[in-house]
């Protein structure tokens, strides 16, 4: 992934129908979504802010994983898609996972 201030600026110049966003982790209790760096957080936020709909793509291994940098709440996504629910799937019904 190319990152940095130029990338964030350029990402903000485009308009998207759908933004598919990945993440380093998700806390199902606080609904916090994490990424690995401040630079990637800024790029992801720029894409989300300029899209009609935002979709979080996250694999089940990322549930209960905290990343370095918080960038969004799960409420900011129109949809969350995962390969499966984690084994400890209690307290995640409010996340609207497909």
């Amino acid at each position: 992934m190319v990152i940095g201030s130029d990338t964030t600026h350029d990402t903000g110049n485009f308009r998207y129908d759908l933004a598919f966003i990945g993440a380093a982790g998700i806390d199902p209790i606080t609904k916090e979504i994490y990424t690995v760096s401040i630079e990637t957080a800024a790029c992801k936020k720029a894409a989300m802010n300029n899209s009609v709909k935002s979709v979080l793509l996250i694999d089940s291994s990322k549930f209960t994983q905290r990343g370095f940098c918080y960038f969004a709440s799960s409420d900011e996504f129109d949809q969350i898609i995962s390969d499966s629910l984690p084994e400890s799937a209690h307290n995640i019904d409010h996340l609207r996972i497909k």
Side-chain angles (χ1 to χ4, degrees):
M1 172 181 227
V2 179
I3 58 174
S5 60
D6 287 341
T7 303
T8 302
H9 178 267
D10 291 345
T11 301
N13 288 330
F14 295 98
R15 302 297 175 258
Y16 310 96
D17 292 327
L18 283 170
F20 290 98
I21 307 292
I26 181 171
D27 184 325
I29 308 266
T30 64
K31 299 182 177 184
E32 293 178 334
I33 311 295
Y34 301 95
T35 190
V36 296
S37 72
I38 293 170
E39 291 86 3
T40 57
C43 287
K44 291 173 188 218
K45 283 302 274 188
M48 291 171 66
N49 290 337
N50 291 318
S51 68
V52 175
K53 292 188 177 190
S54 296
V55 178
L56 177 66
L57 302 175
I58 192 161
D59 67 85
S60 58
S61 72
K62 307 288 179 63
F63 286 91
T64 69
Q65 296 294 317
R66 294 179 64 100
F68 173 71
C69 186
Y70 164 82
F71 76 94
S73 166
S74 63
D75 292 334
E76 296 177 57
F77 291 92
D78 297 289
Q79 188 173 7
I80 299 172
I81 299 174
S82 182
D83 59 323
S84 66
L85 294 177
E87 289 182 19
S88 58
H90 63 286
N91 295 326
I92 64 169
D93 293 337
H94 61 282
L95 293 178
R96 308 172 328 272
I97 300 166
K98 303 244 184 221

